[in-house]
Each structure stands twice: as C-alpha cells, then as structure tokens.
Amino acid sequence: MEPLIGAPVARPDALAKVTGAARYPGDLDRPGTLHLKVVFAGRPHARIVGLDVTAAEAVPGVVAVLTAADVPHNAYGLVEADQPVLCGDVVRFVGDRVALVAAESQAAAEAGARLVRVVYDDLPVVSDPRAALEPGAPLVHAGRASNLVAHVPIRKGDAAAALAAADVVLEGEFRTSWQEHAFLQPEAGLAYIDEQGRVVVETAGQWLHEDRRQIAEVLGLPEEQVVVRYVAIGGAFGGREDLSVQHLLALAAWRLRRPVKIVWEREESMVGHHKRHPVQIRCTWGATRAGKIVAVRAEALADGGAYASTSQEVLKCIALFASGCYDVDHIHVDAYAVYTNNVPAGAFRGFGAPQAQFASESMVTRLAHALGMDPVAIRRINLYREGSIEPTQHPLPPGVSVRECLEACVERLAQELGGQENEAARRGPGDGERIPVPPALSWPPGHPIAAAHGPQPTALKRGWGIACGIKNLGYSFGFPEQATASVALHGGATIEHAELRIGAADVGQGVHLILRQIVAETLGVPLDVVRIIADDSAEAPNAGSASASRLTIMAGRAAHDAAAAALRLWREEEERPARATVQYCPPATTPLDPLTTAGRPNYAYGYAAQAVEVEVDTATGQVRVLRVISAHDVGRAVNRQQLEGQIEGGVAQALGYTLMEQFQMRDGRVLTPGFSTYLLPTILDTPPEIIPVVLELADPEGPYGARGVAELPLVPFAPAVAAAIHAATGVWVSDLPFTPERVLDAIAHFRQPRSRASEAGASGSVPPAAHTM
Amino acid sequence: MIPSAFDFYAPRTLDEAIALLAEHGDEAKVLAGGQSLIPAMRFRLAAPAVLVDINGIGGLDGLRETNGHLAIGALTREAALEEYTFIRERYPLLADAAHVIADPLVRNRATVGGNLAHADPANDHPAVMLAYGAELAAHGPRGARTIPIDDFFTGMFSTSLEPDELLTEIRIPRPGPGSGGAYLKVERKVGDYAISAVAVQLTMDGPTIRTIRIALTNVSPTPIRAEEAERILTGQTLTDATLEAAGQAAAAACDPSADLRGSIEYKRDLTRVLVKRAVRRAAERATK
C-alpha cells in the first residue's frame, strides 16, 4: 500500500464547501426556532442608568428580552472571567452586549432590538494604552487598582552592563495595528434543549470542551448537561477562541426552553469579537564588532481592550519573543498589557509572535547594516542552535532548526536570482547610506510579471528582505496541556472499520483528514476505513483547542498513540472490537519564577525563514510584493497539498497584516466595521509567486516526526518586507501596516512639497518617445 | 441588511422605461448593473420606492465605432471594454480604466452608463469621459438630447439628467493622428476606490502638446478637470519643469478630504505625481 503520510490526499470536505452543500452554523434550523438579536452598547464607556424593555416586548412576535438579571452567572472569559454575558451596570466597549431579544422572526427580533431603551451615563473613555497607565487614568474596571492587565518581566544576565560594553548599540521603536480575523463565516449557531434535558449548542468554535466549560459556568450547570457541537467551520484564526454567540444561544435556549438561532452580520462580527493586539515596542540592541548580539532591552505595551481575553498569555509570548530566535546572554524585557475602552484583543494566529518579531527581526537587520555585515551572516552567528539557553534561562527543547530554515531559504533565493551576484541585493544599504537601486532583476521575456507591468519608470525600486521566525507549538508557561483520543477497531479477521474519537476542531485547516491519515497509516489500513467523530463534546474526548499550531503535533500524537494501542489489543489480545483511549501529555512546561523569571516556557517550537521581494514606487509609496520564499521545518509533511495551502494562505494573511489591514478606532469607536473600510487582500493583491520550501527534520515528540506550521508564515513576513523596502529605498518603516502614505512619508517627507526629478519617469526632456515610462 | 421594500418594474422598451420614470419621478431609481445601487440599498443609504430595471431593454448595450466617434451603449458591461483589441489600440485611456474599475466580478455586471449616471466622484468613468470630452445621449418624454460631459456633473451624486431621462449612449470623439491617452490610478487594494486617479487625453504635434484634457478622480466633491494644468501644458514640449508645473497646478486644483484612504496632503501629492506620469505616458503613446 502507498504510504499515507506525505500523500497529497484530497480534502473530503472540499467539494461540499465549493458547491455550497456544506452546512455552516448559519444554515442550521429546527421547527419552532426563535431568532435572536443582540442589543450592543454602541458606546465605549458608560454606566447603565435605565433599561426599559417594555416597548421591545410589545412588538408582535417578540417572545422575550433577556438582560443581565436573566444570567445565572454573569461573567466569563477564557483565562479570567471578567466579561459580563449581558452588561447590567457598566458597558466598557462598543461591542458589549446589553440585551438579547428573542422573537418568532428575524424581522421581529430586529424591531424589538431597536426598541430596547437603555439610558446611559457616559464615563470618561480610555483609548490610549499609555494614557491608561497614567496615575489617575479612568479605570476600565472599577475596583481594580489600575488598568494593568498583566506585566511580564524577563531577566537574563545583566543587560545594562552588556549594552554599556557593546561596540554598537541601536535603538528602535515599533508600532503594530489591530488585525481582524475576517473569517468568511460570521458567528452563528443554533441551541435547543434535547430529550435528555441537556442544552445543546451547535455552532463553530475552536475548542468544544472549553466552550462547554464556559457555557456550563455561565448557566450554573454541570458540564455534562451542556453539549457543544461544531458543524462546518468557516475559518477561525484565533477569532473563535473567545465565546461570542455560544453562551448567548445557550442562555436563551435554557431560559426560553425553545430552539433559538443567531447569525451575526459582518458588522456585528467585526465589533463583537476580539482582535490581534496592537503593540508598541521600544527596544535597544547591542552587538560586538564581530556581530555577536550581546544584549536586548525591550519594553512592549499591548492594548488589551476592555476585557482580559487571552491578553496575559499573548503577553508572555511577546515577552519571550522580544529577543526573537537569537541566542542572547543579556536580556531585560518588560511587557505590559492594559485595559482600555477599545475592542478587546486576544488570540490571533501567531499569538504575539508576529508583533514581537517584527521588532526583533528588524533590529537584527539594522544591526547588520550598522556593522557592515550581511543580514544572513549576522543571523548565522546568533540564531538559536540545539542547546541554546532561552531568555528564561533553560535550554530550548530539542529539535532547533531555525538555521536549517534560513539556509534552505537562502539557497532557494540564490536559485531565484539565477546565480547572479546577489549579496548587495540581500544586504541593502547600510544605515544612513543611500543606495537606491539594488541590482536590477530582469524578468525573462513572457514572464507574467514582465508582461503585466512592462518597462518600469525609474521611480520603481526593487529589493529583497529576509527574516526568521519562531513560535511555540502548544500551550505554554504551565498551562495544562494534553490531548485525548479513542480508537475502536471493528471487524473479524481484518479491520473492517476504525473509529477515531477526538475533540479537535477542523476550522478549515484540514486537521480531520490529517488525523485520519495518521490513524490509517498506523493501522496499515486504507484511509476510508477510518471514520472520525470529532465535533461533539459528548461523543469525543478533549483534544484541546485548534490553536498554537498544536493539533497536528498534539491531537496527531494522541490519535497515533491510541491507534497503536488499539492495534496491539487487536493483535495480541484479539479483542473484537479493540478499543483504546490514550491521553498524550507532552513534556511539562512551567510558569516563570516571579523572582528570577526563570522557567521552561514551551515543549516545542516551530521555525521558519522567509525571503521577500518587493517593488516600491518611491513617488507614491505603493509597495508590491513580487515573490515570497517561505521555508519551514514541518518535521514531516503529513499532507503536502494541505501544507502548501496553509503556507500560501498564511502568506496572504501576513501580506494583509503588513500592507493594508488596519482596524482603526478613535475614542473607542470603530472606524472600520466592514470590508469596504477594513481592507483584505484579494487574490489579485497576493504575490504572484509564493514558493514554499519544506524541510522535514523529524520532531522528537510529533507523530511520524510532524510538527505544527500554522502560525509560522505570519511571523517573519512583516520584518522581511520592511527589510526589502529598506533594500529598495534606503528607509525603514516601523509602523504596521506599511500603507502607501506611511512609506512615502518615510521616503520623501512629502508634506514639504518639492520636486523629485525621477518620479515622473526618466528625467530629461523632449522628445517623449525617448522616455521609458 | 435587507433593503427596504420597493416596487420593481422590468420594462422591455425604452419608451416604457421613460414612461415609468415620468410616472414615479424622484421616487424611482434606474437599475442597470446594480453594483453601486444595490449596496447603497442594502446599507439603507438609498431607499427608492420604485426600481426600473433596464436590463431587459434591447439595444442599449454594445460598442459601435463610426468615423466620428466611438458609441458605447449605456448598458455595456465594464468587462466588455476589456475584450476589444481596437479599444486597446485606439482608446488606450479607456482601456487603462477598464482594467482598474472595481474588480473582475464587479466588472462583469457594472455598466458604463451606470458608472457615469451615478456621478460618484470616486467612480472612474467620469474623469475618463471628461478627458475625452465625450457627449452623452439621453432619452426622455420630450425626446432625445445630447449633453456635453462638461455640463453633466452638477454635484456629488447629481447630474443634469432629468428624473425622467435615461442615459442611453456615451460618444467618445474618435482620436485623430498624434493622439494618446492614459489613466493612472492608485488604490489601496484591488476593488477599492482610488486614493487618486488621473485621466489624460492629448494630441501631439511633433514634440509639442497641441491639445490636452486632464481630469481627476476622487479628489473633489465632483469629478473635475485640471484646467490650469491643461493650460500650462498646451503648446509646450514635455520638460520636467512644465510637467512639474502642471502637476502642481492639478494638486492645487483638487479639493480632497482626509479619510481612511489618506490625508489631504498625500492625496494632493499623489495627484501631482500621477498627472506628471499620465501626461508622459499619453505623450509616449501618441508618438508611437
């Protein structure tokens, strides 16, 4: 039989998804279902001084209006339960939920929601994270000592002394923007009470059992009385880690004893769920003349918005990755997350790593320039290697492959450049030095890029940038980590069918197929013998969340081990059916010691390196990404097609984050609540060439050596683009996203108008035919 | 959101359509491609009581080139403009614009007439047709008339069409020898409106610009011509100095507002750069 691991097996759910046959949460219905509509606060900070639902209840078809008084336990949260299900006294951001209208029709629910009268007494708005920390700043959560959500310090060695002794010291300041997950399927679902009296919520999410835990807590029920089921999930990216509509559905079904459904509109989704944290990073890096990085000092300030969400955990990643993937002896990091009256920030693919490493990778390249070194050479000196000591003073878990990723990326880059001397292109100009034109890359005749754009005016400059990346796989800092799977083998002489039970969410990444491939390979049976039950909290054991790039390594390992255990029972004990349940626990992690900041933060990491070619229009500030080389160590590619798809999708999302996605708020109000204002790249905006480079250096823990990759394409991309823009133009941009206006401002300081001879094309005068445009 | 309720008519002839418009007056909106109207209705920015769907009327679409002009039926889909070699060869300004209007999906439905009659200063055809000096044919209860493009746009989202008049055809004067044109647009992503865009149509007499029209997209409350820039360039040869002067004149002529697309300063500077580039590209095409 052909090996199943590594085979590009087609997705079994693909056809239904492209034909529209797949059932998403918004497609669910039952007889007699009520429609729900949320009444949002619509204001960033206010005390509720009056709430009158009589007019809403009088609307024909409206069955009930639920408010805070109807919630048994009115607080929830993934890490800290600081968010009301329905606000009773204070609203803290525009997307806070104040009431829930249930009606016989969607129109009646909407009409009722418009008639819920809330009288507010506005409170001072805290919208700037730095101002939020000032003494006397208005408190987002009254009763707390300050707006600080968390402070994560990391101390290693003596950074002050090392910086004082360093040959070169550079300072940098970086800002990143909120990012919206923008999954295709807005939040939706259906809930009802089943024959056993359980409240059943059918929806989309990232972790069945955590959704169940939080819903049970809100309703004051034992977890067994709550069932969470997932149908087809239209993307997640971390945006479904926090509860959005799940607990509202459960509350209404439980209170009203009738089926209820909700489908959020896009604007409700945009305002109603958390975002990627905007982070301000100030840092100082020091190195020796020979290029050894000796010290990193960094301060990071993350806007956590109105509720904690996963801010504390994201913040730990930001602190840990402030020094990137580099072996540095002296580190002094302080990372802060603060409450504001902005939309909450939480999990988003990369979980703090993209923000932290935008700064760290940019600083490493700047150091190289300051030292007159090649950016690749300085990385060769300083990158993590097997046994390197982390900022938290413990050795890295084995399987450190960032150097191999870099070398594979550089090798592929050399191929792309066709053997031409490319050192200058990669290095770019030194700091302060202006070498505006890197060696021109000539497109062969007929090449789509050449054909599409023709000869270019000289205002267009091209350059390559390179960056590396690291991201933990799985939960960190002592957060309990496990995945459980059950396998049952049925048949007589041969295994006729195998049933895998594992509560792992297929958010679109294709993990269900990956798990079936692993089990089929382990059992030595064809793929279609293996059936998976993964979408019901009452039927499948807890395998943890679809997050932290962890399901292939964690759920994959649990599925593998359960399959192997069941196969042993089948063969050695001749059990029919043969059943085995295995809980896989990886090597333990620890919280950081509060005094020394030492600890073992993670049990596994993923590594990546990217090279990006950009073309910058130096007269308009537009940046086009032309080619991307994305090198990843995946341990083992379980499904090559899905892997490459995930890398390409990740690069597209990273491109949006880097160049155009800018969720904007002013004084706590959302300026970009839809896709006409919040810009997502389309296929026509994505780079014409994305070149995945896949390394398979087996991970010691992963099934068949596989490790996670999902978040990694997001990590090096922005700093690689920043370096490429610098190579092309000689200027650094350090505020994400790199909008044309920001780039032009960096290049030309255009606000003082002056003529720039090259911007209209070639300089010179008549006749026009002599010009190349 | 779901649009408010409306009555829907699908006339089969021009006369029926005009009669419906005459009957319903300001209450009625014409539905052509629907790529601006339907979103506006869904956002409840527009709530017409009556929709007159003209898609079933024969003879309102298609391209026809005569000795004097190119006639574009008002119902011609944007995507059609991309299909013809003669457009690329003889109407490069129009061809440039055809590739950057919205995105390919929108272009399959959106119409040239709708893009003009909607009179959104962010739309691309208004500047293109201003640069061409096009004429618009309109039909109403009092018969047919032609409207010079310079008299067409009367304000943001308003035109000199009467409520009971239907735009039926756009006539672009056929460019003579030595003509060239170009449309340059900077957008934040494919499918977004322009931060700024510039349309240029000119004729060259050797190295000298004999005639030139320049129009600007989305940098004023209405589509505008950059007349001072035109004056600076007319009769001149292309030098850095004249181009810069024209670019600055256009930047001064526009009246952009600061929004999520950019600051006023950026939009002006972008317009200056695009005017210089578009004039140079048009001139180069003219002499090919």
Side-chain angles (χ1 to χ4, degrees), chain B residues 156-201:
Chain B
M156 194 182 275
F157 303 112
S158 73
T159 69
S160 52
L161 283 175
E162 298 297 332
D164 57 1
E165 275 185 318
L166 197 62
L167 175 62
T168 52
E169 191 170 86
I170 301 99
R171 293 174 193 146
I172 296 174
R174 187 166 171 168
S179 300
Y183 189 65
L184 292 181
K185 176 178 182 176
V186 171
E187 55 191 0
R188 297 177 300 170
K189 61 169 275 190
V190 171
D192 192 27
Y193 292 111
I195 303 173
S196 173
V198 173
V200 171
Q201 181 69 21

Side-chain angles (χ1 to χ4, degrees), chain B:
Chain B
M1 263 190 289
I2 309 292
S4 337
F6 54 85
D7 290 333
F8 180 81
Y9 296 94
R12 310 297 296 184
T13 67
L14 194 54
D15 288 343
E16 277 179 64
I18 290 163
L20 283 163
L21 292 175
E23 181 187 342
H24 296 285
D26 285 340
E27 297 282 278
K29 273 282 186 190
V30 175
L31 177 66
Q35 300 300 299
S36 297
L37 180 58
I38 301 293
M41 290 170 64
R42 292 196 49 169
F43 284 114
R44 306 272 176 115
L45 299 172
V50 174
L51 277 194
V52 179
D53 180 350
I54 60 170
N55 286 281
I57 300 175
L60 281 184
D61 63 345
L63 275 64
R64 191 163 44 86
E65 199 182 26
T66 68
N67 280 339
H69 58 254
L70 169 67
I72 303 171
L75 207 52
T76 304
R77 311 289 161 182
E78 301 288 3
L81 300 178
E82 300 175 81
E83 288 168 12
Y84 295 96
T85 312
F86 83 91
I87 299 243
R88 279 198 296 281
E89 287 170 352
R90 293 199 283 280
Y91 302 90
L93 162 58
L94 185 60
D96 282 354
H99 290 294
V100 297
I101 291 168
D103 60 47
L105 298 178
V106 170
R107 294 200 290 270
N108 284 336
R109 290 297 302 163
T111 65
V112 179
N115 191 288
L116 284 166
H118 186 46
D120 185 339
N123 279 357
D124 297 291
H125 280 308
V128 170
M129 298 307 166
L130 279 169
Y132 273 125
E135 276 191 343
L136 308 182
H139 279 72
R142 295 159 299 282
R145 64 170 177 140
T146 57
I147 308 168
I149 190 76
D150 285 325
D151 300 338
F152 188 68
F153 302 106
T154 55
M156 194 182 275
F157 303 112
S158 73
T159 69
S160 52
L161 283 175
E162 298 297 332
D164 57 1
E165 275 185 318
L166 197 62
L167 175 62
T168 52
E169 191 170 86
I170 301 99
R171 293 174 193 146
I172 296 174
R174 187 166 171 168
S179 300
Y183 189 65
L184 292 181
K185 176 178 182 176
V186 171
E187 55 191 0
R188 297 177 300 170
K189 61 169 275 190
V190 171
D192 192 27
Y193 292 111
I195 303 173
S196 173
V198 173
V200 171
Q201 181 69 21
L202 51 67
T203 51
M204 301 296 291
D205 190 355
T208 305
I209 297 174
R210 192 152 52 81
T211 65
I212 183 166
R213 288 169 69 100
I214 303 172
L216 313 176
T217 298
N218 211 16
V219 287
S220 284
T222 60
I224 58 164
R225 277 174 62 193
E227 288 171 351
E228 178 64 13
E230 295 172 358
R231 197 191 57 73
I232 288 168
L233 289 166
T234 304
Q236 301 295 310
T237 56
L238 279 186
T239 65
D240 284 345
T242 50
L243 279 174
E244 177 62 28
Q248 289 191 11
C254 68
D255 181 19
S257 51
D259 57 21
L260 296 176
R261 290 189 181 82
S263 66
I264 290 170
E265 296 91 334
Y266 179 62
K267 291 179 179 185
R268 282 191 195 277
D269 198 63
L270 197 53
T271 304
R272 179 182 67 85
V273 170
L274 293 182
V275 163
K276 293 165 69 176
R277 285 184 178 176
V279 170
R280 206 182 273 284
R281 182 169 294 183
E284 183 205 47
R285 284 169 168 171
T287 51
K288 259 186 185 155

Side-chain angles (χ1 to χ4, degrees), chain A residues 406-491:
Chain A
L406 177 67
E407 296 307 332
C409 185
V410 169
E411 190 181 322
R412 185 58 208 244
L413 175 59
Q415 280 177 33
E416 284 295 306
L417 296 180
Q420 63 177 279
E421 181 46 57
N422 59 63
E423 282 299 301
R426 223 164 57 209
R427 183 170 65 245
D431 258 7
E433 181 189 3
R434 280 232 174 183
I435 307 172
V437 190
L441 295 160
S442 54
W443 303 104
H447 188 286
I449 294 176
H453 300 288
Q456 301 290 348
T458 55
L460 298 181
K461 313 287 187 199
R462 286 183 177 174
W464 282 91
I466 200 160
C468 297
I470 180 173
K471 173 66 183 55
N472 58 292
L473 312 177
Y475 305 140
S476 306
F477 298 100
F479 192 91
E481 175 64 302
Q482 67 83 41
T484 305
S486 292
V487 170
L489 308 178
H490 299 265

Side-chain angles (χ1 to χ4, degrees), chain A residues 560-636:
Chain A
H560 168 272
D561 291 1
L567 187 62
R568 195 190 62 76
L569 294 173
W570 175 275
R571 281 181 179 157
E572 295 176 16
E573 315 290 333
E574 299 195 6
E575 288 185 14
R576 298 291 183 275
R579 297 177 190 277
T581 296
V582 171
Q583 180 185 49
Y584 169 67
C585 294
T589 64
T590 68
L592 301 187
D593 183 289
L595 287 179
T596 64
T597 76
R600 186 168 192 274
N602 292 294
Y603 60 86
Y605 289 103
Y607 300 99
Q610 286 175 337
V612 177
E613 185 189 26
V614 304
E615 181 181 81
V616 183
D617 187 325
T618 55
T620 66
Q622 288 168 287
V623 176
R624 280 172 41 81
V625 174
L626 303 176
R627 279 185 287 188
V628 180
I629 300 166
S630 197
H632 300 269
D633 174 20
V634 302
R636 184 79 182 270

